[in-house]
Amino acid sequence: MKKLERSNLYEQIAEEIRNYIIKNEIKPGERLPTERELAEMLGVSRTSVREGIRLLETLQFLEVKPKRGITVKKLELKPFVKQFSQRLLLDKNRFSELVEARRVLEVALVKLAALRATEDDLEQLAANIQLMEEQLERGEEIKEADLKFHQGIFAAAKNSVLQGFQSALLEFFESGELQSAAEEGRRKTLKEHQQIYQAIKGRKPQEAAKFMLQHLETYESQQQEGKISSCGK
């Protein structure tokens, strides 16, 4: 680490610590040098180091625990995406932008699911479809089974970073109140889920993407027609 100048010192310290982590390939959960050691390496006071560390804690980059010391924190998108979704809930005009983002994300990830899904993933998707079938037969809402199916696809894609964004999107759609759709619409959702599942099971990424796009376009048209409320209206 290089010796630092005094202006904006805590920000410089935070940047140097981040560079140190990257250069030394320190992984989430692994410990950094102590405050004293960092202060000696940077040629600054422990108080200044503490301020830099506090900044990195605020940015969810580091974690400091008694007896454990300073560790690199695992990337967690939820605190950021929760704030993002709450802001969108306050702006109904941007709901269509979130729907658009969901379309781009899910169409891309369903391709990964078709390539990476394990037998356990396929079993979970099939179970969600069966649950939806049973709910339809009983005349019940299918919202829970619908969301679980999409969660299963993102889990099958095996990309933890993108799955974090999926959590944000699902949190947003759960926070809006879906109006009761007609039985015809619910059965169409079931059919589309079955098509997506068969494409994933058959290891056909392009076909899976095509069916996912059709499925999300159905959702968008329903929302525009007022069959699904936007932003908890």
Side-chain angles (χ1 to χ4, degrees):
M1 292 187 183
K2 66 181 181 181
K3 296 294 189 291
L4 301 178
E5 299 178 358
R6 294 291 165 181
S7 60
N8 300 321
L9 189 57
Y10 74 98
E11 293 180 355
Q12 295 180 61
I13 290 170
E15 184 64 24
E16 283 300 311
I17 292 173
R18 291 205 318 171
N19 291 338
Y20 176 84
I21 291 168
I22 294 169
K23 181 179 178 180
N24 292 278
E25 299 182 351
I26 301 174
K27 297 178 176 57
E30 293 183 349
R31 295 172 62 180
L32 284 135
T34 65
E35 279 186 9
R36 183 187 298 277
E37 291 169 335
L38 288 170
E40 291 175 355
M41 293 163 70
L42 293 166
V44 298
S45 68
R46 291 181 61 180
T47 300
S48 296
V49 167
R50 196 172 299 120
E51 290 175 355
I53 291 171
R54 191 175 297 119
L55 174 60
L56 292 175
E57 281 188 282
T58 302
L59 296 173
Q60 304 291 312
F61 202 82
L62 293 181
E63 188 172 26
V64 181
K65 290 185 177 180
K67 299 183 180 180
R68 177 64 179 160
I70 309 164
T71 59
V72 176
K73 191 169 184 180
K74 181 181 178 181
L75 177 64
E76 293 286 353
L77 294 173
K78 194 168 184 178
F80 300 102
V81 297
K82 186 178 181 68
Q83 181 183 14
F84 168 73
S85 60
Q86 288 174 341
R87 289 180 64 184
L88 282 173
L89 282 170
L90 298 175
D91 187 352
K92 294 183 179 182
N93 294 327
R94 298 187 67 180
F95 182 81
S96 60
E97 294 182 14
L98 183 60
V99 173
E100 184 178 75
R102 183 189 182 193
R103 186 196 317 141
V104 171
L105 184 59
E106 292 209 56
V107 169
L109 277 178
V110 77
K111 295 180 184 179
L112 295 179
L115 297 171
R116 300 174 179 176
T118 64
E119 287 303 316
D120 287 342
D121 292 325
L122 294 173
E123 287 178 9
Q124 186 60 56
L125 291 172
N128 289 332
I129 290 175
Q130 183 178 350
L131 173 61
M132 185 175 287
E133 291 173 342
E134 293 170 354
Q135 289 176 329
L136 279 171
E137 291 302 315
R138 295 194 295 265
E140 298 174 355
E141 289 295 324
I142 61 171
K143 177 182 175 182
E144 181 181 354
D146 188 1
L147 291 174
K148 283 184 176 180
F149 181 78
H150 287 272
Q151 286 175 318
I153 289 173
F154 277 73
K158 303 292 184 287
N159 186 306
S160 60
V161 174
L162 293 176
Q163 191 172 351
F165 285 104
Q166 165 68 359
S167 298
L169 293 176
L170 289 180
E171 181 181 334
F172 177 81
F173 283 102
E174 283 183 307
S175 62
E177 296 178 4
L178 300 183
Q179 294 178 351
S180 297
E183 182 178 352
E184 179 182 355
R186 295 197 298 269
R187 291 198 176 277
K188 182 174 177 62
T189 295
L190 172 61
K191 180 181 178 181
E192 290 169 346
H193 280 200
Q194 291 169 331
Q195 290 173 324
I196 294 167
Y197 168 73
Q198 290 299 329
I200 293 173
K201 184 179 180 180
R203 307 297 179 186
K204 300 175 181 178
Q206 295 303 323
E207 190 170 306
K210 180 186 74 173
F211 288 134
M212 176 61 78
L213 181 58
Q214 291 174 355
H215 177 53
L216 296 176
E217 286 176 345
T218 297
Y219 173 86
E220 291 174 41
S221 65
Q222 288 175 332
Q223 188 271 323
Q224 291 169 359
E225 292 168 8
K227 293 179 181 177
I228 298 178
S229 66
S230 64
C231 298
K233 178 174 67 176

